[in-house]
């Protein structure tokens, strides 16, 4: 049986689930992967990972019954949630990728990189980059300003409310790389692939 201390990693067919689970296992967190909306409804914390196409992610979440449960957990019960990569993007209102509406938890759109020179700045943005924080956050406690994180993405979020932005990263131009509002957290980078500092961020999420 789930308890209120459980972290549930949501399986909607589009996430790098095992590597996320392994990081939480290393941190000795009570974590499980589930595609069952009943288990998700009992979670104490949620992780929404994701790799792939925005519109496909929306379709899979709605088709599985998870979409409605997510809204109840996050908006109704204020359950802490961490979105990773596509999981963060799905928290926006809209994405150019498939012209699809997202969960709408953040007043933001997701757009494709519009780089000035596609020979110098290849899309997808892939590899190690930093996150310049705009404010303090429990999610980044004891994570140094110069910490590097692993990215792989062709689209990024544009937030209308600057208060929602936690970190900015520059790839030809600055883009939003982490967000936070209340109990909602998101990272465009992959903390589960970002070695010690990514692990520290995930440890911080356990305790928020």
């Amino acid at each position: 049986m789930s308890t209120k201390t459980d972290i549930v990693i949501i399986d909607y067919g589009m996430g790098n689930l095992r590597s996320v689970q392994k990081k939480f296992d290393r941190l000795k967190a009570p974590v499980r992967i589930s595609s069952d909306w009943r288990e998700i409804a009992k979670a104490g914390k949620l992780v929404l990972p994701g790799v792939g196409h925005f519109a496909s992610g929306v379709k899979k979440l709605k088709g599985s019954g998870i979409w409605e449960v997510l809204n109840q957990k996050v908006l109704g019960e204020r359950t802490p949630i961490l979105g990773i990569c596509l999981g963060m993007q799905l928290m926006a209102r809209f994405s150019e990728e498939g012209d699809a509406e997202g969960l709408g938890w953040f007043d933001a759109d997701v757009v494709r990189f519009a780089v000035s020179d596609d020979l110098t700045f290849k899309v997808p943005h892939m590899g190690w980059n930093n996150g310049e924080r705009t404010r303090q956050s429990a999610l980044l406690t004891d994570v140094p300003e110069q910490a590097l994180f692993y990215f792989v993405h062709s689209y990024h979020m544009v937030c209308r409310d600057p208060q929602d932005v936690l970190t900015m990263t520059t790839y030809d131009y600055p883009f939003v790389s982490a967000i936070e509002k209340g109990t909602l957290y998101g990272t465009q980078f992959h903390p589960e692939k970002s070695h010690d500092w990514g692990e520290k961020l995930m440890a911080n999420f356990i305790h928020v």
Side-chain angles (χ1 to χ4, degrees):
M1 294 293 291
S2 292
T3 71
K4 279 297 182 182
T5 58
D6 283 350
I7 298 170
V8 172
I9 301 167
I10 298 166
D11 179 6
Y12 59 109
M14 298 188 68
N16 191 10
L17 306 175
R18 296 299 172 192
S19 41
V20 177
Q21 182 186 37
K22 283 179 182 177
K23 280 290 187 183
F24 281 119
D25 283 342
R26 276 174 54 89
L27 295 164
K28 303 190 184 308
V31 64
R32 68 184 67 202
I33 295 170
S34 183
S35 58
D36 186 341
W37 65 265
R38 297 167 191 84
E39 284 203 45
I40 294 166
K42 296 175 183 177
K45 286 187 172 75
L46 296 167
V47 178
L48 183 64
V51 177
H53 194 273
F54 187 100
S56 297
V58 170
K59 183 177 180 181
K60 287 178 179 290
L61 284 172
K62 289 184 174 179
S64 63
I66 296 172
W67 185 273
E68 293 81 4
V69 174
L70 276 178
N71 277 308
Q72 173 58 34
K73 290 289 288 179
V74 172
L75 301 181
E77 300 176 25
R78 297 184 58 78
T79 302
I81 185 168
L82 174 64
I84 298 173
C85 197
L86 176 61
M88 167 178 143
Q89 294 179 3
L90 287 166
M91 297 178 176
R93 291 190 182 278
F94 177 82
S95 177
E96 291 180 350
E97 190 176 27
D99 291 328
E101 293 184 1
L103 288 155
W105 298 339
F106 286 84
D107 187 8
D109 293 332
V110 177
V111 302
R112 185 173 172 82
F113 270 109
V115 295
S116 60
D117 179 353
D118 58 10
L119 293 178
T120 304
F121 299 100
K122 298 192 179 298
V123 178
H125 168 222
M126 185 180 300
W128 296 89
N129 212 329
N130 68 346
E132 183 177 340
R133 67 195 65 179
T134 62
R135 56 191 168 92
Q136 296 303 309
S137 167
L139 194 66
L140 298 175
T141 298
D142 296 328
V143 177
E145 291 274 0
Q146 68 271 23
L148 296 176
F149 298 98
Y150 186 77
F151 291 81
V152 53
H153 61 119
S154 299
Y155 290 77
H156 64 84
M157 186 180 281
V158 178
C159 292
R160 294 185 180 87
D161 186 349
Q163 295 298 314
D164 293 341
V165 178
L166 184 55
T167 68
M168 298 290 293
T169 295
T170 298
Y171 187 67
D172 190 21
Y173 56 86
F175 68 90
V176 176
S177 53
I179 54 176
E180 177 182 339
K181 180 169 65 175
T183 56
L184 284 70
Y185 305 88
T187 63
Q188 183 60 66
F189 52 84
H190 287 269
E192 78 281 6
K193 297 181 179 179
S194 298
H195 302 324
D196 291 349
W197 300 128
E199 186 172 303
K200 179 58 182 169
L201 184 149
M202 293 172 73
N204 290 337
F205 178 68
I206 293 170
H207 299 294
V208 294

